[in-house]
Amino acid sequence: MNKNPSYWPEQTLEAPSVSRARKRHAEQTKAVAAAISKITTAANKRLIDDARKRLPEYLLAAAAIYHTRGDRPAVAHWAFDEPSGTNVSATPGPGGRLVNLSAKMGDPVPRRIDDGRIGRALRFATGQVVEIDRSQLTPLSFGKDGDFSVAIWIRAPKGYSPSSADSIVSATFKTKDIWFIALRPGPYKGVYLRHYDDKKGAVDITPSTDQLPLLTDGKWHHLVVTSDRDADGVMYIDGKVVGRKAIGTVSSASDYGAPVSLQLGATYRSFAGDLDDVAIWDR
């Protein structure tokens, strides 16, 4: 029989070295707090308060850098940070790849809110949509073999129940092939990205377990779906892999080369919730 106490669940023994470390950490924390209280003055308190007020600006700048960094920046990134008006613009990437790529909010207009995940966000209700100008869709042409990824910050109301396939991003092509992301209950396990070929049918990238309770808890969640067109599609929520699906048979047959429409928001059905920082990559 193994005599190591760690194998005995009824005993909660803590090594002396761990106890000493905990005590030392508590003492150091107390000492640091005391030191800070001595050097805090009205002047540096004002500096701290000013930095806190400007934090949203720093976060916005960081988001722009993230989506345009490196040699493969996002081909589209909508921050939804405009203070007013009916136009929303994409962040330009190096080399002018995103010049004039913009969207216009439909009628009725989604409401701008100040408590986005980063800066402002858009709140969608039934029938509200942001549609990209058709003449500006060239960067979103992926052809038959172009991989792509989509990232979205999403916040659905607590307890939200999708009516069916409540689409939040939808792309349509001249060939009648489409891809879209939607919230959906039942076998779709809360959310999915569908690749649809007019001849081959559909294939769905879904979570392996039901994610609807998480996505409808009233909090912001980061959804990312990658599509390796001749291999697998992978779904991430809050940085964790939640699903993987072989998509090559359908996705590699789909022709995403001539986009005719890209819509954000309640493109189909009646999605009601908040979206922020939607980004699309050609990889």
Side-chain angles (χ1 to χ4, degrees):
M1 181 177 179
N2 195 315
K3 298 297 184 180
N4 188 333
S6 65
Y7 284 83
W8 302 352
E10 69 275 11
Q11 296 192 29
T12 55
L13 302 179
E14 187 175 77
S17 59
V18 175
S19 296
R20 287 195 296 271
R22 291 179 186 275
K23 183 178 180 180
R24 186 165 58 251
H25 175 71
E27 292 172 347
Q28 290 174 344
T29 300
K30 186 177 180 180
V32 169
I36 290 176
S37 66
K38 291 179 180 178
I39 63 174
T40 299
T41 65
N44 59 31
K45 185 177 184 302
R46 284 194 297 271
L47 290 174
I48 293 171
D49 290 342
D50 182 62
R52 285 173 175 166
K53 291 177 182 177
R54 299 189 64 183
L55 182 59
E57 298 176 24
Y58 301 146
L59 291 174
L60 291 174
I65 292 170
Y66 172 77
H67 289 299
T68 59
R69 66 183 181 178
D71 60 345
R72 297 293 297 277
V75 297
H77 166 221
W78 295 274
F80 299 148
D81 288 322
E82 293 82 4
S84 61
T86 59
N87 288 326
V88 296
S89 300
T91 302
R97 298 177 69 198
L98 298 183
V99 172
N100 296 325
L101 184 63
S102 61
K104 186 172 183 178
M105 292 189 288
D107 185 20
V109 176
R111 182 159 64 92
R112 298 185 187 277
I113 58 174
D114 292 329
D115 64 330
R117 182 60 182 83
I118 303 174
R120 297 183 181 88
L122 289 184
R123 176 159 294 168
F124 293 83
T126 302
Q128 296 180 341
V129 65
V130 170
E131 183 160 6
I132 313 307
D133 184 340
R134 182 171 177 174
S135 66
Q136 306 299 325
L137 293 177
T138 302
L140 305 175
S141 300
F142 304 128
K144 285 193 171 184
D145 57 2
D147 302 335
F148 67 95
S149 304
V150 184
I152 308 166
W153 281 101
I154 181 171
R155 179 174 62 184
K158 190 171 184 178
Y160 176 76
S161 179
S163 60
S164 179
D166 288 7
S167 179
I168 51 180
V169 181
S170 176
T172 306
F173 299 83
K174 189 175 181 179
T175 56
K176 298 183 180 179
D177 296 339
I178 64 174
W179 62 261
F180 65 84
I181 298 176
L183 299 183
R184 192 169 186 176
Y188 301 92
K189 300 174 183 175
V191 61
Y192 68 119
L193 185 150
R194 169 165 290 183
H195 289 266
Y196 176 79
D197 176 72
D198 194 41
K199 298 181 178 62
K200 292 278 188 178
V203 63
D204 299 329
I205 305 168
T206 63
S208 57
T209 59
D210 189 9
Q211 300 295 314
L212 192 59
L214 174 68
L215 293 173
T216 57
D217 64 0
K219 300 177 182 178
W220 283 107
H221 295 285
H222 196 225
L223 172 67
V224 177
V225 188
T226 64
S227 293
D228 186 341
R229 301 283 297 285
D230 59 359
D232 292 349
V234 182
M235 180 177 290
Y236 304 78
I237 295 180
D238 297 334
K240 298 179 180 179
V241 175
V242 297
R244 182 183 296 271
K245 177 77 172 183
I247 62 174
T249 301
V250 173
S251 186
S252 61
S254 303
D255 188 349
Y256 297 155
V260 296
S261 172
L262 180 72
Q263 296 180 322
L264 313 176
T267 54
Y268 297 105
R269 309 296 181 185
S270 55
F271 169 71
D274 305 335
L275 298 180
D276 198 4
D277 280 85
V278 178
I280 301 174
W281 285 265
D282 57 353
R283 52 186 166 91

